[in-house]
Amino acid sequence: MKKLSVIALVAVGLLAASCNKEKSAENAATSTEQKVAESKGEVLPVDTVGSVVNWKAFHKGGMAPRWGTLMVKSGDLSIENGGVTAGNFVIDMNSIKVDPASVTEKDKKPADLEAHLKNPDFFDTAKNPTADFKITSVADLKDAPKDAVAGANKTVSGNLTLSGKTMNVTFPAKVDVTENSAAIQAKFTVNRADWGIKFGTSEADPAEWMISKDIEIAVDVKAKK
């Protein structure tokens, strides 16, 4: 029995160690809340139909990944001198969806996970029905990290408010501006515990820390005249 216990502990350790290898996006740099960029120039409303936020989460070791979408409720992007200089968008947390393709276990249902993500264990959407992102700076990006979104040309920083807490995040992004539109695409990873979402993160009990703290976020926000 002791030999089996040791083997089991080693297996759990290997799963935990391999968790970071399962991510397809680097962690965004985080800091305290920063001053929001002033809206100047032409302001384009966000296209809420064409915009979406994709998310992906894991169990330890990349086991049983789950993914889905969130709807963008409102927002705008400010255009000045041919570039995005400021902006914001609001996410409807009650719109969270779990892709059925990510739930392969026979005893699990996407709707059950959606309900769990909305309750106080995670995002507590009754108390915090929206999340939002407000740009604090946009800078040129010379060398994009290998895990950045394809075509990344800018470094975007902004205040991300999630579950009532605000943290500044910085990540590479692809920013496109045309005569009648603007778009921001990005892919990055955040540690949900930084926003106080700590369900399943206690390491005192293996049954409680098998859910990874990492959440991959893929932003596709479009604005147009």
Side-chain angles (χ1 to χ4, degrees):
M1 292 294 291
K2 290 183 178 179
K3 185 177 181 180
L4 288 174
S5 297
V6 171
I7 292 174
L9 286 172
V10 171
V12 169
L14 288 173
L15 286 175
S18 66
C19 181
N20 286 336
K21 296 179 181 179
E22 302 300 326
K23 296 188 300 179
S24 60
E26 289 298 314
N27 285 70
T30 58
S31 63
T32 56
E33 184 177 359
Q34 305 294 313
K35 182 180 179 180
V36 175
E38 183 180 355
S39 179
K40 295 180 180 179
E42 186 174 16
V43 179
L44 304 183
V46 164
D47 175 9
T48 57
V49 176
S51 301
V52 67
V53 174
N54 291 279
W55 61 269
K56 190 173 186 179
F58 307 89
H59 290 74
K60 287 286 187 177
M63 302 289 286
R66 310 289 195 226
W67 60 85
T69 59
L70 285 156
M71 293 174 60
V72 176
K73 186 176 181 179
S74 61
D76 57 61
L77 296 178
S78 296
I79 311 302
E80 189 176 27
N81 297 323
V84 173
T85 57
N88 71 90
F89 57 89
V90 178
I91 302 167
D92 179 2
M93 295 305 297
N94 278 303
S95 72
I96 192 164
K97 293 294 181 183
V98 176
D99 190 327
S102 71
V103 184
T104 57
E105 301 91 338
K106 293 182 179 179
D107 61 334
K108 304 291 184 182
K109 296 180 180 179
D112 293 339
L113 178 54
E114 291 170 3
H116 193 195
L117 291 172
K118 292 177 183 180
N119 80 22
D121 282 344
F122 286 96
F123 300 111
D124 196 3
T125 60
K127 184 178 179 181
N128 303 292
T130 62
D132 63 65
F133 182 80
K134 298 178 181 179
I135 293 174
T136 56
S137 67
V138 179
D140 290 337
L141 175 64
K142 292 183 179 179
D143 299 312
K146 63 178 181 179
D147 295 320
V149 67
N153 58 356
K154 300 289 183 179
T155 297
V156 175
S157 295
N159 293 332
L160 175 61
T161 300
L162 193 60
S163 292
K165 183 176 180 178
T166 302
M167 295 283 291
N168 191 266
V169 296
T170 299
F171 49 84
K174 179 183 179 182
V175 179
D176 289 320
V177 176
T178 69
E179 184 178 352
N180 297 310
S181 67
I184 296 177
Q185 292 180 307
K187 181 177 65 174
F188 56 92
T189 298
V190 296
N191 181 341
R192 60 187 171 90
D194 290 341
W195 282 263
I197 305 168
K198 297 182 178 180
F199 177 83
T201 62
S202 171
E203 297 190 3
D205 180 357
E208 283 296 312
W209 57 263
M210 289 304 291
I211 304 174
S212 176
K213 298 176 185 178
D214 291 329
I215 303 176
E216 284 186 9
I217 299 175
V219 174
D220 186 357
V221 173
K222 298 178 175 64
K224 59 184 181 181
K225 291 184 178 180

